[in-house]
Amino acid sequence: MAVDVLLGLQWGDEGKGKIVDVLTSNYDIIARFQGGPNAGHTLEFDGIKHVLHTIPSGIFHPTALNVIGNGVVIDPVIFKKELEGLEKLKVNLDGKLLVSRKAHLILPSHKLLDAASEQAKGKDKIGSTLKGIGPTYMDKTGRNGLRVGDIELPDFKERYTKLVAKHQQILNHYDFEYDLESMEKDWFEAIERLKQIEFIDSEHYLVNARKEGKKVLAEGAQGSLLDIDFGTYPFVTSSNTVTAGACTGLGIAPNRIGDVFGIFKAYLTRVGSGHFPTELFDDTGAAIQKAGNEFGATTGRARRCGWIDLPALKYAININGVTKLMMMKADVLSEFPTIKVCTHYKYNGEVIDYLPYNIEGDKIEPIYKEFPCWKEDLTTKTSMSELPKELTDYVEYLEKELETPIVIVSVGPDRTQTILNNF
Ligand code: GDP
Ligand code: IMO
Ligand code: MG
């Protein structure tokens, strides 16, 4: 059985959590493949609104297994809080959550390094979520990291101390004050909680599951434009958020990948620093932010808003090999008389239809096509045939431009506000 992948095609926050939750009933296993607590995946159902950071979005399903893969970085403190949040909601976690021994641990000193680095960058800061993501992946690729499996080793504490000493040397180079001791107490308490969760060799586990005919959905975090290789570098995260990241982050061979579900908003948002060609600085941008409640699920920061960017979306579709698209938040645009779609850029005086190497400020100017909007409340619609013609025309236009079918149109945050389109 092939493994399907679900990932974001923009700068994150496309609605991955919602859709993974909706699709979980079709799968036996949901497996997160990269990122860490920089992610905030929101699920809404039965009047509950819940945000997950590290735990896969299949956790509310009564029987699905949830795997945190080797490509993920885990902060035990945030993970413990997530577990407590789920326990409060009486979610049964017994045997339903498994963690790869090869996943890397975020240490308190990784968070300090993240904060010190951002402070030193000043106005050029990445706008990191300050969860220690960059420094943890740096230690992974630098071959210094601590992994979940190390917790089981007798010299875990010594390994920890050695790595922290290295971090302290680096921190000494910054003009940065910190109190590590107070953070360490919580961290070691949280390690004890993490130890109660089953650790697995997730690559073997998933290979066997696949051979047994189990259906696996790989859940991505962030979005393709935040990918370390293909995103808008350096304003990106530190992992591969694209389909290839599911191969390396779970141990799934490329020829075992089945469908790739690419999620995008009917408009575009970005949180943190970095160029954003279609960003709106006017009342329309503010109105989209308000209507879409565009505030970060992890940091609470306001998300910057703009029009959908087709050259960037086509780029993401190609890099990921997207087979099916899912369009989110169409309901948010209902209040606008018209909407715009960026079809090309004017770049150094030339019209181009691809995302160039450098998208800095005045070098690039979006070229828009304007569409009449669907001035109707969509949030109670349940089928494509009920949708206003302006919206179905818009869906058809995008399918043609993007050469990929749109199989879900999402019309609200709740699980039930999900319209299937020949899916
Ligand atoms: P993720 O990181 O990709 O899982 O997305 P987030 O949870 O960070 O952000 C998506 C936000 O939009 C959340 O608050 C969701 O509840 C909400 N949302 C998801 N789909 C829709 C939709 O179709 N319409 C509206 N209005 N909100 C949605
Ligand atoms: P989900 O999974 C949106 C952004 C940060 C910052 C940059 C680097 O919820 O879609 P990092 O903390 O990784 O060093 O931050 O990436 N970022 C996200 N933006 N959604 C996310 O995750 C994000 N995770 C990181 O705002 O610009
Ligand atoms: Mg999010």
Side-chain angles (χ1 to χ4, degrees):
M1 190 64 80
V3 173
D4 296 337
V5 180
L6 181 144
L7 40 74
L9 298 178
Q10 296 165 324
W11 277 297
D13 302 329
E14 297 88 351
K16 298 175 290 293
K18 165 180 167 162
I19 295 297
V20 171
D21 172 59
V22 168
L23 296 184
T24 298
S25 46
N26 301 340
Y27 292 91
D28 301 297
I29 300 171
I30 308 298
R32 248 295 280 280
F33 61 86
Q34 46 67 236
N38 49 349
H41 294 181
T42 315
L43 288 74
E44 277 194 48
F45 56 91
D46 301 341
I48 295 174
K49 177 173 172 171
H50 195 77
V51 180
L52 294 164
H53 301 288
T54 326
I55 295 176
S57 303
I59 199 70
F60 285 94
H61 190 272
T63 55
L65 286 175
N66 290 267
V67 173
I68 299 178
N70 57 279
V72 177
V73 291
I74 302 175
D75 179 338
V77 178
I78 294 177
F79 183 69
K80 179 168 172 264
K81 281 200 193 120
E82 280 191 79
L83 293 175
E84 288 164 357
L86 292 171
E87 280 155 2
K88 241 186 238 155
L89 293 172
K90 307 252 179 305
V91 177
N92 173 26
L93 298 170
D94 285 346
K96 278 181 55 199
L97 184 58
L98 308 164
V99 181
S100 167
R101 287 195 176 86
K102 292 194 175 82
H104 278 246
L105 291 170
I106 302 177
L107 273 55
S109 43
H110 283 132
K111 287 208 256 193
L112 295 174
L113 286 168
D114 214 358
S117 162
E118 284 286 79
Q119 183 185 292
K121 282 189 165 128
K123 67 170 184 37
D124 296 326
K125 70 176 182 189
I126 307 296
S128 160
T129 60
L130 302 179
K131 303 294 177 197
I133 304 296
T136 306
Y137 280 115
M138 277 165 73
D139 270 340
K140 174 178 177 172
T141 52
R143 296 156 296 178
N144 296 311
L146 272 190
R147 300 189 289 179
V148 165
D150 295 340
I151 299 172
E152 298 172 317
L153 302 177
D155 63 346
F156 175 63
K157 191 76 204 283
E158 286 88 83
R159 286 170 186 245
Y160 171 87
T161 309
K162 203 168 144 199
L163 184 53
V164 172
K166 204 181 188 87
H167 291 165
Q168 280 171 319
Q169 276 183 359
I170 305 171
L171 284 166
N172 287 342
H173 291 286
Y174 289 104
D175 181 16
F176 183 76
E177 305 243 328
Y178 61 91
D179 173 12
L180 181 58
E181 249 173 62
S182 64
M183 297 165 87
E184 282 182 321
K185 187 174 163 289
D186 284 350
W187 196 81
F188 279 102
E189 269 174 30
I191 286 283
E192 291 307 309
R193 181 68 185 93
L194 177 57
K195 273 159 91 173
Q196 292 162 14
I197 303 292
E198 190 179 347
F199 299 166
I200 57 165
D201 297 320
S202 56
E203 62 281 22
H204 299 301
Y205 182 88
L206 291 172
V207 164
N208 290 336
R210 201 179 47 68
K211 284 186 181 162
E212 286 165 18
K214 298 248 166 71
K215 290 193 74 186
V216 181
L217 177 66
E219 174 180 1
Q222 289 80 55
S224 303
L225 301 179
L226 289 171
D227 180 272
I228 182 69
D229 282 285
F230 301 107
T232 48
Y233 192 89
F235 301 104
V236 293
T237 191
S238 300
S239 63
N240 280 118
T241 61
V242 295
T243 307
C247 298
T248 58
L250 292 172
I252 301 203
N255 60 345
R256 303 296 184 197
I257 300 286
D259 266 319
V260 178
F261 304 126
I263 304 212
F264 66 100
K265 281 178 189 166
Y267 49 96
L268 188 52
T269 63
R270 173 164 210 175
V271 61
S273 323
H275 301 291
F276 177 173
T278 61
E279 183 167 10
L280 289 164
F281 298 95
D282 56 7
D283 291 349
T284 307
I288 294 177
Q289 187 185 74
K290 187 154 177 269
N293 191 23
E294 294 296 354
F295 294 91
T298 296
T299 59
R301 291 178 294 177
R303 296 178 184 145
R304 300 152 61 191
C305 298
W307 296 120
I308 196 167
D309 182 333
L310 293 193
L313 206 45
K314 285 178 190 171
Y315 170 76
I317 288 169
N318 286 328
I319 281 169
N320 288 301
V322 171
T323 58
K324 296 186 167 88
L325 288 165
M326 296 164 177
M327 185 171 84
M328 312 300 288
K329 302 190 104 163
D331 55 299
V332 170
L333 298 178
S334 288
E335 67 178 75
F336 300 93
T338 58
I339 53 168
K340 286 187 185 171
V341 171
C342 165
T343 58
H344 297 78
Y345 307 122
K346 200 162 178 193
Y347 182 65
N348 290 333
E350 234 183 277
V351 175
I352 59 167
D353 65 354
Y354 62 90
L355 191 68
Y357 179 76
N358 188 349
I359 61 163
E360 272 174 33
D362 51 3
K363 285 201 171 49
I364 189 160
E365 191 191 318
I367 299 174
Y368 292 110
K369 191 171 156 79
E370 198 157 358
F371 287 78
C373 198
W374 42 92
K375 287 174 270 334
E376 229 179 282
D377 177 18
L378 303 179
T379 56
T380 53
K381 311 282 186 204
T382 54
S383 69
M384 287 303 285
S385 60
E386 287 172 57
L387 295 182
K389 183 164 184 323
E390 292 85 352
L391 176 53
T392 50
D393 284 351
Y394 183 63
V395 168
E396 277 172 29
Y397 166 78
L398 290 178
E399 286 183 318
K400 199 159 157 256
E401 282 295 309
L402 302 171
E403 299 177 280
T404 317
I406 296 178
V407 297
I408 283 181
V409 177
S410 175
V411 292
D414 195 85
R415 217 184 236 176
T416 56
Q417 293 169 310
T418 309
I419 298 178
L420 305 185
N421 186 24
N422 302 316
F423 182 40

